Amino acid sequence: MPHGKRAGERCVQLLPDMRCAIFDRPERPAVCANLRPLADICGLNRIEALSLLAAMEVATAPYAVVVLD
Ligand code: SF4
């Protein structure tokens, strides 16, 4: 995504089964490759992770409206 990814925008590399299409490839962004899972961010499961992510999106959004998939 040469112009970046806005909050709530789906990554073009995200496959329908929620895997990364470029996971093992060098063109995977450094921010993704360097991200390490933490309980404070990921929770115990996908539902908790999405809830925590939504809270962070709201807390850091430049606008009052946040669009999530
Ligand atoms: S790991 Fe990065 S490049 Fe891959 S789908 Fe997620 S956001 Fe996109």
Side-chain angles (χ1 to χ4, degrees):
M1 302 180 78
H3 303 295
K5 187 182 89 53
R6 292 177 297 191
E9 185 177 9
R10 187 179 178 90
C11 177
V12 297
Q13 304 297 345
L14 189 60
L15 297 170
D17 64 0
M18 307 305 280
R19 292 182 302 121
C20 176
I22 57 171
F23 188 82
D24 288 327
R25 304 217 312 244
E27 60 267 36
R28 187 172 175 226
V31 67
C32 302
N34 292 326
L35 182 66
R36 295 292 172 257
L38 296 171
D40 289 350
I41 297 174
C42 301
L44 297 175
N45 54 51
R46 184 172 187 272
I47 291 174
E48 279 189 25
L50 291 174
S51 177
L52 291 164
L53 179 60
M56 287 186 277
E57 294 278 13
V58 169
T60 60
Y63 307 104
V65 177
V66 175
V67 177
L68 300 174
D69 286 334

